[in-house]
Amino acid sequence: MNVRNYQIAASQRGFSLISVLIWLVIIIFIVWHALKFVNAFYINSKVQTLFEGVAVNLHDESKVRNSLPKLLSLNYITSEDLPAQFFDELQVIQHEQGIEVSSYYEKTIWVFGPVEAVDAQGDYDPKALKGMDVLRYRAHIVLHFSPHAGAE
């Protein structure tokens, strides 16, 4: 009987507390970074919807440029959500058919945090990175977005 009970007990081993904690950390890491991706695509979706509304409802280029910051704010899009590149690449073109609004921007997801070896302007040379910065750089993901709406 004792041998049989030992075999049953050995086959019913569960997870140890340490393995549960390790899996919990891995799952939290994955979910945390998935939320960064979801947020980036959600912001782009809101910008695309805003551009479509602007292209349908506004018919003057200056009116679009003047009202865009307020419209972004009303859609809960803050200046931290969109990089400066979005506003640099913003194009509002007036055609006979109506307004065409477009922009382009990139969102970088740093999986292990941003590169730390940066100069005074915040730039870095990928070839000169050392230590953990090499891993951080290799693990970054750049998402490209180009919302567009209007005259086609």
Side-chain angles (χ1 to χ4, degrees):
M1 256 329 175
N2 288 342
V3 172
R4 177 80 174 133
N5 289 339
Y6 176 75
Q7 289 174 340
I8 292 172
S11 68
Q12 293 180 350
R13 285 187 218 143
F15 285 103
S16 68
L17 181 61
I18 292 176
S19 67
V20 169
L21 290 175
I22 290 172
W23 278 107
L24 188 62
V25 166
I26 291 170
I27 290 170
I28 289 172
F29 180 81
I30 291 170
V31 168
W32 178 259
H33 285 85
L35 288 175
K36 291 180 182 180
F37 283 96
V38 168
N39 184 48
F41 283 99
Y42 177 67
I43 294 298
N44 183 60
S45 171
K46 288 172 72 171
V47 169
Q48 179 64 39
T49 304
L50 174 68
F51 279 7
E52 290 169 1
V54 163
V56 170
N57 297 317
L58 297 177
H59 305 291
D60 183 25
E61 179 182 347
S62 63
K63 191 180 286 189
V64 171
R65 289 196 182 273
N66 292 337
S67 63
L68 196 59
K70 183 177 180 180
L71 291 172
L72 288 170
S73 175
L74 288 173
N75 283 286
Y76 301 105
I77 302 172
T78 64
S79 59
E80 291 85 30
D81 293 331
L82 296 171
Q85 181 185 17
F86 172 83
F87 297 101
D88 294 341
E89 299 286 333
L90 180 65
Q91 293 183 351
V92 180
I93 303 169
Q94 189 163 356
H95 298 288
E96 292 177 5
Q97 302 89 352
I99 293 288
E100 179 180 5
V101 185
S102 65
S103 185
Y104 172 81
Y105 66 101
E106 298 174 348
K107 178 74 174 172
T108 304
I109 307 292
W110 294 98
V111 178
F112 297 117
V115 171
E116 294 178 354
V118 295
D119 59 13
Q121 290 82 23
D123 297 327
Y124 58 90
D125 180 15
K127 296 174 185 169
L129 297 176
K130 296 179 183 165
M132 279 299 292
D133 279 344
V134 174
L135 177 65
R136 288 183 181 111
Y137 175 73
R138 288 185 180 168
H140 83 285
I141 299 167
V142 179
L143 303 173
H144 304 272
F145 296 107
S146 55
H148 175 271
E152 294 177 2

